[in-house]
Amino acid sequence: MASFVKVSRVGEAALLFEFTDVLCGTTQNRVLDLDGRLRAARPDLEIMPGIGNMLVMYNPLADAAPALEAWVRDHWAASRPTPPEGRLHDIPVDYQAGFEYDIPAVAQATGMTPDEVIERHQAAEYTVATLGAHPGYAYLLGLDERLFIPRRRVPRVSIPVNSIVIAGGMSGTVGCQSASGWHILGLSPVYFFDASRQPPALLAPGDRIRFHAI
Amino acid sequence: MLFVLNSSSLNSVQDLGRTGYRAIGVGTAGAMDSLALRLGNRLVGNAAGAAAIEIALPPFSVRFRKEAVIAVTGALVRMTLDGEPVQSWSVQHVRAGQRLAMTGPHAAGARAYLCVRGGINVPLVMGSRSTDVKGRFGGHEGRALRRGDQLTVFPRFSLPGKAGPAALLAAPDYGQGSGLENFLPGHTVPVRVLPAAEYEWLDANGEDDFWSADWKVSSESNRMGYRFIGPELSLHPGLEREMLSHGIVNGVVQMPPSHQPIIQLNDCNVSGGYPKLGVVIQPDLRVLAQVPLGGRVNFQRVGPDEALAARAAEAALTPRLEADAMRLGSAL
């Protein structure tokens, strides 16, 4: 079991713990296990699980960095890559809308037909690695390797809310209209973020996702 | 009781922001010059974190339908009350029907805070009244203010106002002994930065450029972040790579593919993969927030001990400044 931990300061009030520099579902499960442990022990801290990493924000006038670092390392050593017990979501996707966006370009880049792109995206079962970026945005692991492509060279200034996107080996669900360099495969009628809902974000780390065409 | 007569698209309701929701992708939003907000609120007798209106770009004019006590803090604003000039950092007693008008660009600084006794009455969303423009929630209808908007304030017991000269508070320090004159054209504003993990990617020239350049704030800068124009930073060969997405903080100085730094601010995305060269120390975020488009910034290197000392000093000073403001305001 890898115990690699790189720790760095992000300003005087946050520490970033990096556990890997490659996409890895096992490591991500362990990051989510760590997230649960840290939150339970210190609900006053703001903790942000990333992709293979963890950001811990604290009040430096109340906590000292060395002690906090040791505390996180201890919990990391104890954490396990247990698959999280997330909910299963079946998300409808209008892939036809994706033809107006990036389905043709993704097909060309990957050497598949548009129908194959859609089929391979739908066939997988995804796990929510974490949320981040903008309200309700979820990063998904489990994308078919044949759909691995880099981000767009020129990001779009604005993409539609509820877009279903892929880039860099992951898929994503867009919670609000925002700038993005990811490729849009379709649009969903589902709202991934609603400020008046409790909780506001539909998806949570560890949830499982299946997409189906409508 | 406030009727917005006119507003650019960059003015919004803000308080001290939202914390605790980064894990679902929701950032702080909130007043970019948080100390100016606190002191403006204290001047008018509010709790420090009451909601106010952040004015980043005039025009902005509002009619008060009821009498009010107000203060405009932060940037030095060219403004009038029924045509008579009014000063920033002063407490004003406003009569029902009067019109506050901010016309030209701010005389010094980039963001002003219109604080009204009682505090702006908009719903709490995730613990804050700040506007989250990206998520379209919070503040007034989740968006910037515009002509025709009507805002109310919470009722507060008001002592009868005295006629007479408006009370004037000295604006706080905005960087190492300088005040708002720091932000006049021709000045370069120093901002203290703690190096971050990918700082070591910079080669000797890159390091030198990073600290010595007079970085110009690009016109593409806004509440999400500031972009800077200056030398393209050079790196040691072979180090540059895409990083996995990780949580970031307000004030992080990143190096995007253009190799010219950007600083993520209150409305930024809460995670990303750009290399981190450094982070602006928390007490200097409000200084940076007052640098206008086209203004110039110089990054000053500090270490963890200095950063902590600066934060402790600000934490000790803030209650005293608030007490001064409250004392001044209560005389009105």
Side-chain angles (χ1 to χ4, degrees):
Chain A
M1 172 75 42
S3 290
F4 165 83
V5 183
K6 179 185 172 201
V7 189
S8 56
R9 285 180 178 276
V10 189
E12 73 276 11
L15 292 172
L16 179 67
F17 298 81
E18 295 173 82
F19 308 110
T20 177
D21 54 6
V22 296
L23 290 183
C24 173
T26 307
T27 306
Q28 197 61 23
N29 286 346
R30 211 173 148 196
V31 168
L32 297 186
D33 184 46
L34 175 68
D35 181 57
R37 290 167 188 269
L38 296 183
R39 278 173 201 285
R42 289 288 301 271
D44 60 303
L45 297 178
E46 183 142 25
I47 292 169
M48 260 215 82
I51 307 295
N53 56 67
M54 183 73 76
L55 182 76
V56 178
M57 299 170 71
Y58 62 101
N59 176 359
L61 302 180
D63 280 291
L68 215 52
E69 182 185 329
W71 172 72
V72 174
R73 281 180 181 275
D74 285 348
H75 278 285
W76 176 247
S79 65
R80 294 289 168 263
T82 325
E85 288 166 21
R87 294 187 340 219
L88 175 64
H89 302 264
D90 205 350
I91 308 279
V93 182
D94 178 4
Y95 287 102
Q96 292 310 304
F99 279 85
E100 304 296 317
Y101 291 97
D102 294 313
I103 295 242
V106 170
Q108 178 152 60
T110 57
M112 294 190 277
T113 65
D115 281 350
E116 281 176 317
V117 167
I118 293 169
E119 188 44 49
R120 283 184 182 272
H121 187 257
Q122 276 188 96
E125 181 175 291
Y126 300 84
T127 306
V128 177
T130 192
L131 270 56
H134 63 249
Y137 184 78
Y139 295 88
L140 310 181
L141 287 171
L143 183 69
D144 189 314
E145 278 185 16
R146 290 215 48 197
L147 288 172
F148 279 30
I149 45 170
R151 269 179 284 207
R152 286 165 58 92
R153 286 187 346 127
V154 182
R156 288 191 176 88
V157 169
S158 173
I159 71 172
V161 62
N162 307 339
S163 292
I164 306 298
V165 295
I166 63 170
M170 286 188 283
S171 190
T173 55
V174 175
C176 62
Q177 190 175 349
S178 63
S180 175
W182 292 44
H183 306 270
I184 302 172
L185 297 188
L187 304 179
S188 178
V190 165
Y191 277 86
F192 297 104
F193 183 82
D194 180 347
S196 61
R197 188 171 54 199
Q198 189 54 245
L202 178 71
L203 305 179
D207 282 356
R208 291 170 297 132
I209 311 289
R210 298 206 73 101
F211 295 110
H212 66 270
I214 50 170
Chain B
M1 67 90 97
L2 282 90
F3 186 83
V4 178
L5 297 170
N6 197 10
S7 179
S8 76
S9 60
L10 294 177
N11 308 322
S12 57
V13 174
Q14 301 291 344
D15 62 9
L16 291 173
R18 264 168 209 104
T19 53
Y21 293 92
R22 293 183 100 82
I24 60 168
V26 174
T28 59
M32 286 180 64
D33 181 349
S34 55
L35 184 60
L37 175 78
R38 286 178 177 272
L39 298 182
N41 272 327
R42 290 310 202 175
L43 273 174
V44 301
N46 289 341
I53 299 172
E54 179 181 86
I55 298 109
L57 185 70
F60 181 77
S61 60
V62 65
R63 189 173 304 284
F64 291 87
R65 289 232 161 94
K66 295 184 190 171
E67 70 172 326
V69 175
I70 70 170
V72 177
T73 54
L76 298 184
V77 181
R78 297 179 220 274
M79 58 183 162
T80 57
L81 190 61
D82 276 0
E84 293 301 313
V86 168
Q87 281 192 282
S88 287
W89 294 92
S90 70
V91 196
Q92 300 288 333
H93 183 232
V94 175
R95 293 188 311 277
Q98 285 196 293
R99 174 176 176 256
L100 178 74
M102 301 178 188
T103 49
H106 297 325
R111 289 167 172 91
Y113 297 88
L114 169 59
C115 301
V116 184
R117 177 172 289 170
I120 305 293
N121 183 353
V122 290
L124 279 171
V125 182
M126 283 176 255
S128 167
R129 295 191 167 85
S130 291
T131 310
D132 189 310
V133 175
K134 222 188 298 163
R136 300 189 183 180
F137 63 86
H140 180 70
E141 302 182 357
R143 57 167 174 80
L145 295 175
R146 59 186 184 224
R147 182 199 304 267
D149 283 341
Q150 298 188 70
L151 300 172
T152 57
V153 295
F154 287 102
R156 281 293 300 268
F157 174 64
S158 286
L159 296 169
K162 278 193 318 207
L168 186 69
L169 182 72
D173 189 89
Y174 273 95
Q176 297 153 53
S178 309
L180 286 156
E181 69 275 5
N182 227 356
F183 305 106
L184 292 171
H187 288 239
T188 297
V189 178
V191 162
R192 289 167 290 181
V193 172
L194 190 66
E198 288 77 56
Y199 173 79
E200 61 191 27
W201 292 12
L202 295 173
D203 65 16
N205 287 331
E207 284 190 68
D208 196 53
D209 284 340
F210 185 72
W211 301 115
S212 66
D214 273 0
W215 295 101
K216 183 175 170 183
V217 178
S218 131
S219 58
E220 292 177 2
S221 304
N222 51 42
R223 284 182 50 91
M224 284 187 67
Y226 273 24
R227 297 182 172 270
F228 292 91
I229 299 165
E232 280 182 36
L233 299 171
S234 56
L235 309 180
H236 292 298
L239 287 181
E240 194 166 12
R241 65 178 190 280
E242 216 170 274
M243 300 176 59
L244 293 176
S245 185
H246 53 274
I248 57 168
V249 301
N250 293 356
V252 68
V253 185
Q254 295 173 321
M255 190 184 62
S258 66
H259 285 211
Q260 296 187 301
I262 59 180
I263 301 183
Q264 302 291 350
L265 294 170
N266 296 46
D267 286 2
C268 69
N269 279 5
V270 299
S271 59
Y274 284 156
K276 307 174 294 298
L277 300 179
V279 180
V280 174
I281 69 169
Q282 184 260 350
D284 282 2
L285 287 174
R286 64 182 182 86
V287 174
L288 183 66
Q290 292 297 355
V291 181
L293 303 185
R296 292 193 179 263
V297 169
N298 172 252
F299 299 133
Q300 288 193 342
R301 182 173 189 162
V302 294
D305 291 343
E306 273 181 272
L308 193 58
R311 195 185 263 246
E314 177 111 331
L317 183 61
T318 300
R320 296 211 297 272
L321 294 177
E322 288 190 33
D324 289 347
M326 285 166 70
R327 236 186 330 268
L328 196 75
S330 68
L332 184 72

